[in-house]
């Protein structure tokens, strides 16, 4: 069985991930994870997350993958005991000290984080012999290197690899630039993302005179990596021996999680249904352009990515669609859809409603009304309720978008 593993920055996104086809989700608690900027889960929310995922027959993994200083370890034993008591399915760890604390104080399964930089079979076997059940492989591995690791590790050791999302330019995400420039330690969860900054050169005897390192007129983005996308060869990742396909994005929106999961869920299911007749469909690739992303790359899976231009010319995000609204409900008697607005909608706009199971329907906005039932030409107040004529299915947990392909 191949697992599709999705990120969740909060309970809303966790529920979206499960409903849109994730087999498992990974989340961060208040401490010991690498995404301080995410909402993250307190103890009560973690309990609810476990109950929700398990009620659907899915799994929940909790990140504990910081590279800690001694001062970061306060409360570690108590936190491990709590995660064990609520039956989290696994914890994701990079530090050997945290690994041993988990082993000695719980029955939790342990996954070795990509921060562990596992790039070879002996290292994978080392962690497995200590008790790890899964390795999240280093992002710098090729498909052939993954095949080699799979051939030289026991079947009882699961292999996980990233299949989609934003990538760090530093080795397996172990970066010192943020700490050096801003005092915010990326390896303890507080990255300031200096790799996305625009850089110019200044000569020491000419202070204040900034010279672009010619790449574009706007400056040079020396460390700004493209986003990973593997959907066109996801079958090769599975064939290489990957058990879990991991989507990056605990900081991303529910709309992003839903959009990406729709595409990968479709591709994985089609492959598993019959690998011999599997054919990649361009529509899945198109779907992935509908949410915010940087230019895409294959990463290292087919070798050194420098030939495809690993670093884009700016840090701007792209999208072939605008996220317009969350669907609240469809009133079948009124034949109206009620939405929570995210971005402006006009009377007469041609929009798409998307939902789980790859549901998509195009419609035209007619008889647009505000929360008071008054007719309006434009909906423009974010998070307010609006409605319009809709005679289709009531698709729970669906989203509205406007395709803006150029």
């Amino acid at each position: 069985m191949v697992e599709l593993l999705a990120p969740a920055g909060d309970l809303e996104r966790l529920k979206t991930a499960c409903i849109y086809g994730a087999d498992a989700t990974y989340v961060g608690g208040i401490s010991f994870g690498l995404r301080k900027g995410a909402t993250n889960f307190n103890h009560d929310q973690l309990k609810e997350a476990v109950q929700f995922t398990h009620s659907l027959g899915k799994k929940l993994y909790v990140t504990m993958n910081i590279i800690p200083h001694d001062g970061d370890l306060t409360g570690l034993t108590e936190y491990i005991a709590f995660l064990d008591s609520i039956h989290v399915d696994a914890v994701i760890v990079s530090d050997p000290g945290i690994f041993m604390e988990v082993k000695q104080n719980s029955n939790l399964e342990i996954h070795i984080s990509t921060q562990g930089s596992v790039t070879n079979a002996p290292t994978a076997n080392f962690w497995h012999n200590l008790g790890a059940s899964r390795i999240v492989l280093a992002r710098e591995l090729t498909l052939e290197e993954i095949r080699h690791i799979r051939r030289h590790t026991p079947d009882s050791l699961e292999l996980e690899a990233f299949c989609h999302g934003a990538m760090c330019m530093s080795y397996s995400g172990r970066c010192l630039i943020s700490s050096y420039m801003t005092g915010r330690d990326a390896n303890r969860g507080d990255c300031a993302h200096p790799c996305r900054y625009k850089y110019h050169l200044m000569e020491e005897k000419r202070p204040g005179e900034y010279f672009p390192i010619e790449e574009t007129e706007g400056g040079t983005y020396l460390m700004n990596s493209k986003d990973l996308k593997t959907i066109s060869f996801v079958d090769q990742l599975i064939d290489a021996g990957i058990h879990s396909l991991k989507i990056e994005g605990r900081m991303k929106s529910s709309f992003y999680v839903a959009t990406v999961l729709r595409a990968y869920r479709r591709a994985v299911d089609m492959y598993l249904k019959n690998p011999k007749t599997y054919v990649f469909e361009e529509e899945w690739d198109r779907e992935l352009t509908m949410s915010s992303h940087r230019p895409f790359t294959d990463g290292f899976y087919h070798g050194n990515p420098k030939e495809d231009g690993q670093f884009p010319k700016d840090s701007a995000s792209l999208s072939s669609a605008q996220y317009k609204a969350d669907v609240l409900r469809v009133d079948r008697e009124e034949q109206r859809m009620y939405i929570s607005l995210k971005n402006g909608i006009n009377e007469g706009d041609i929009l798409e409603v998307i939902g789980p199971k790859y549901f998509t329907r195009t419609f035209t906005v007619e008889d647009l009304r505000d929360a008071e039932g008054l007719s309006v030409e434009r909906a423009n107040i974010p998070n307010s309720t609006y409605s319009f004529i809709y005679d289709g299915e009531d698709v729970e947990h669906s989203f509205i978008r406007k395709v803006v392909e150029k």
Side-chain angles (χ1 to χ4, degrees), residues 29-251:
I30 299 300
S31 303
F32 310 110
L34 279 177
R35 290 293 182 272
K36 284 186 179 180
T39 305
N40 291 322
F41 290 66
N42 61 32
H43 281 24
D44 288 340
Q45 290 167 335
L46 281 172
K47 288 180 183 178
E48 184 177 345
V50 170
Q51 292 168 357
F52 181 81
T53 52
H54 288 183
S55 71
L56 298 177
K58 301 174 186 289
K59 294 183 177 182
L60 181 76
Y61 310 139
V62 175
T63 60
M64 297 180 63
N65 54 346
I66 63 168
I67 300 173
H69 295 211
D70 281 328
D72 299 316
L73 297 174
T74 302
L76 176 62
T77 302
E78 294 80 4
Y79 186 60
I80 292 168
F82 166 72
L83 295 180
D84 198 14
S85 72
I86 64 173
H87 307 295
V88 165
D89 293 285
V91 290
I92 304 170
V93 170
S94 62
D95 179 73
I98 291 181
F99 180 97
M100 294 309 298
E101 287 292 324
V102 175
K103 287 297 298 178
Q104 293 169 4
N105 295 287
S106 76
N107 295 308
L108 290 164
E109 285 196 21
I110 304 177
H111 298 172
I112 301 302
S113 170
T114 190
Q115 305 289 124
S117 303
V118 176
T119 57
N120 59 74
T123 302
N125 286 322
F126 166 84
W127 283 114
H128 188 46
N129 291 337
L130 285 178
S133 61
R134 179 183 295 185
I135 303 293
V136 187
L137 294 170
R139 302 170 184 179
E140 296 76 26
L141 292 175
T142 65
L143 285 167
E144 185 51 46
E145 288 173 322
I146 292 172
R147 293 187 190 101
H148 184 274
I149 292 172
R150 181 70 286 172
R151 289 194 298 267
H152 294 87
T153 52
D155 292 341
S156 55
L157 177 63
E158 297 175 349
L159 300 181
E160 177 179 309
F162 281 90
C163 69
H164 195 88
M167 293 291 106
C168 178
M169 55 75 62
S170 293
Y171 199 87
S172 290
R174 298 180 68 145
C175 182
L176 301 175
I177 302 171
S178 177
S179 182
Y180 176 78
M181 291 184 65
T182 71
R184 291 171 53 180
D185 192 342
N187 297 312
R188 289 192 278 173
D190 201 20
C191 185
H193 303 288
C195 56
R196 312 298 183 192
Y197 297 173
K198 180 174 68 177
Y199 290 90
H200 286 74
L201 180 68
M202 186 179 73
E203 198 274 327
E204 64 175 337
K205 294 182 180 180
R206 294 175 175 83
E209 295 185 34
Y210 299 98
F211 306 94
I213 307 169
E214 294 296 344
E215 186 175 282
T216 71
E217 293 180 359
T220 297
Y221 294 80
L222 294 171
M223 299 168 286
N224 177 39
S225 177
K226 291 181 178 179
D227 286 0
L228 179 67
K229 174 171 67 71
T230 69
I231 199 161
S232 63
F233 58 95
V234 73
D235 55 325
Q236 296 178 47
L237 278 169
I238 298 171
D239 286 344
I242 295 302
H243 171 84
S244 180
L245 298 165
K246 186 172 194 171
I247 298 167
E248 181 277 336
R250 280 193 288 136
M251 304 285 285

Side-chain angles (χ1 to χ4, degrees), residues 327-399:
V327 176
L328 299 176
R329 63 187 175 91
V330 174
D331 190 310
R332 299 302 295 275
E333 292 185 3
E334 294 182 352
Q335 292 191 328
R336 297 190 71 82
M337 176 182 284
Y338 289 82
I339 63 168
S340 175
L341 188 73
K342 301 304 176 185
N343 291 291
I345 291 175
N346 296 314
E347 177 83 14
D349 278 352
I350 299 175
L351 305 178
E352 286 184 348
V353 55
I354 65 167
K357 306 295 184 182
Y358 219 66
F359 171 84
T360 305
R361 182 180 177 186
T362 302
F363 66 95
T364 301
V365 176
E366 298 179 26
D367 192 20
L368 182 61
R369 299 182 186 180
D370 64 15
E372 305 300 322
L374 301 175
S375 294
V376 293
E377 289 295 316
R378 177 172 173 79
N380 57 7
I381 304 175
N383 301 315
S384 295
T385 299
Y386 292 87
S387 70
F388 42 75
I389 292 173
Y390 182 79
D391 61 357
E393 301 87 340
D394 185 357
V395 182
E396 191 175 11
H397 301 286
S398 52
F399 300 90

